[in-house]
Amino acid sequence: MTHTQQQDPYAPEQGSKVVQLNHTAVYARDRGLSAEFIAAVLGLEVGAPFGPFLPVDLGNGVTLDYCELRDEPVQAQHYAFLVPDAQFADMLARLEALDVTYYADPRHTEPGRTNRLFGGRGAYFEDPDGHNMEIMTRPYARPR
């Protein structure tokens, strides 16, 4: 197969009807600080700047693109990460090493605890901009 005949690895599969999230902008007062923070907690790396964005590749085709908001407040959002069970304790240890409190609940009323939702483990914590981050080892069971 010649170079011109090779398939584009980013082209959607023929007949595919699946919609996938590719990237999302995460607003921050300091994109470097916030990107480094989540990368450290999740055991990932920060990528090279891409225009105004500083990417953190989650490894499943989705990128968090950190972008600075310098002249207005950052509106807190919620980001949930499905993480391998074997890495969950390491992520909690990284939060503790960073002196970041984690909670069992999204309202942050149960500090230093984790939850056992849907047969897995989970925890919530704030990033440097107040975004409510969640790590969980099992996806939520949604009604059909």
Side-chain angles (χ1 to χ4, degrees):
M1 184 178 287
T2 67
H3 176 69
T4 57
Q5 294 174 323
Q6 291 179 351
Q7 286 189 325
D8 179 355
Y10 299 105
E13 293 181 28
Q14 293 292 335
S16 175
K17 296 184 189 249
V18 176
V19 176
Q20 298 179 15
L21 179 65
N22 177 267
H23 66 275
T24 190
V26 180
Y27 294 110
R29 289 183 299 272
D30 180 332
R31 72 180 188 170
L33 176 69
S34 294
E36 289 289 346
F37 171 81
I38 199 63
V41 171
L42 298 178
L44 302 172
E45 294 183 10
V46 176
F50 180 72
F53 304 109
L54 193 57
V56 177
D57 184 344
L58 300 178
N60 65 341
V62 179
T63 304
L64 300 177
D65 289 331
Y66 280 86
C67 182
E68 290 183 2
L69 282 181
R70 293 180 182 249
D71 299 328
E72 56 188 283
V74 173
Q75 176 66 45
Q77 300 293 318
H78 173 65
Y79 298 91
F81 304 95
L82 184 60
V83 302
D85 193 73
Q87 295 178 24
F88 186 80
D90 290 339
M91 292 176 188
L92 292 181
R94 290 184 200 119
L95 286 167
E96 290 171 353
L98 292 167
D99 201 28
V100 174
T101 303
Y102 58 87
Y103 302 84
D105 64 306
R107 297 196 191 279
H108 298 188
T109 63
E110 300 178 55
R113 297 184 60 201
T114 61
N115 64 56
R116 303 290 280 169
L117 296 174
F118 307 103
R121 296 183 291 169
Y124 297 83
F125 57 95
E126 283 190 7
D127 83 339
D129 292 290
H131 293 301
N132 192 16
M133 304 301 206
E134 177 182 6
I135 53 175
M136 58 186 180
T137 61
R138 299 287 183 277
Y140 289 174
R142 302 195 185 275
R144 293 187 184 245

